[in-house]
Amino acid sequence: MTEPPRILCLGAMLWDMIGHSALRLGPGGDVPGRITRQPGGVALNVALALARHGLRPAMLSAVGRDAPGAALIAEAQRHGVETRWLWRDGGLPTDSYLAIESPDELVAAIADARALEAAGSAILAPLRDGRLGDHARPWRGTLVIDGNLTAELLAGIARDPCLTGATLRIVPASPEKAARLRPLLAHPRATFHLNRAE
């Protein structure tokens, strides 16, 4: 039996679609550029960074049972991120993020996180059903939590008895989403990693 992971990254795991132009863009702009696709989502970005530093993080997220989802999982595994505890039971497509960038700024972005939002607390099942831990034997390690989770789920995490052995590392994801994390402010084992706007 393999040893349970000591780092779990909980939150968004999706495809980033980034359109970049060397020309400035205004409303209605139609310019040449490059479009790339890469693994993304705050939680997955953290997991990938940890894996690059020789650690062995695992993901808790929602990924669709579709070709983009299979490709995303394969890419995460290729970079050293464990994916066996993902929630894949929904009928929704794999989440995605679309951004348009000009030379010096983000022009616009849309995050489609329907699968993650629909999964809700189901993504925490491995911490509750004995696969990683449960109420009697809480999982012990570092849990990275991103602000893409729903406010309801974040409030539940703040008081979840299955997480009493976890150290929480909170990454808001954006100033707008930072407000969702209010229930975790008083958590005795939570550390927030913020930029100025957040």
Side-chain angles (χ1 to χ4, degrees), residues 97-165:
Y97 171 84
L98 174 65
I100 305 296
E101 298 176 347
S102 66
D104 53 0
E105 65 181 350
L106 173 68
V107 177
I110 297 174
D112 183 350
R114 286 176 290 170
L116 182 65
E117 292 166 358
S121 64
I123 62 174
L124 297 174
L127 295 167
R128 295 170 170 169
D129 62 15
R131 284 179 285 165
L132 290 173
D134 55 31
H135 183 277
R137 295 165 299 133
W139 173 80
R140 297 190 179 278
T142 299
L143 181 63
V144 178
I145 302 170
D146 83 26
N148 287 299
L149 303 173
T150 64
E152 180 182 7
L153 181 55
L154 289 164
I157 288 170
R159 57 181 184 272
D160 194 322
C162 294
L163 296 175
T164 56

Side-chain angles (χ1 to χ4, degrees), residues 20-188:
H20 181 80
S21 174
L23 303 174
R24 292 185 183 277
L25 280 161
D30 186 347
V31 297
R34 297 288 179 264
I35 300 173
T36 60
R37 183 178 86 157
Q38 61 194 37
V42 175
L44 180 57
N45 287 340
V46 171
L48 292 169
L50 292 170
R52 283 194 298 273
H53 285 87
L55 300 172
R56 300 179 60 82
M59 284 297 302
L60 292 180
S61 189
V63 175
R65 291 189 178 278
D66 52 12
L72 182 59
I73 289 170
E75 191 69 6
Q77 291 173 341
R78 185 173 74 82
H79 289 286
V81 176
E82 177 61 65
T83 61
R84 78 178 78 177
W85 296 288
L86 293 173
W87 184 81
R88 302 194 72 200
D89 294 330
L92 293 169
T94 296
D95 291 340
S96 59
Y97 171 84
L98 174 65
I100 305 296
E101 298 176 347
S102 66
D104 53 0
E105 65 181 350
L106 173 68
V107 177
I110 297 174
D112 183 350
R114 286 176 290 170
L116 182 65
E117 292 166 358
S121 64
I123 62 174
L124 297 174
L127 295 167
R128 295 170 170 169
D129 62 15
R131 284 179 285 165
L132 290 173
D134 55 31
H135 183 277
R137 295 165 299 133
W139 173 80
R140 297 190 179 278
T142 299
L143 181 63
V144 178
I145 302 170
D146 83 26
N148 287 299
L149 303 173
T150 64
E152 180 182 7
L153 181 55
L154 289 164
I157 288 170
R159 57 181 184 272
D160 194 322
C162 294
L163 296 175
T164 56
T167 298
L168 309 184
R169 299 293 182 144
I170 316 298
V171 286
S174 73
E176 181 273 327
K177 293 172 183 170
R180 300 179 185 179
L181 300 168
R182 190 178 303 278
L184 295 167
L185 284 174
H187 196 285

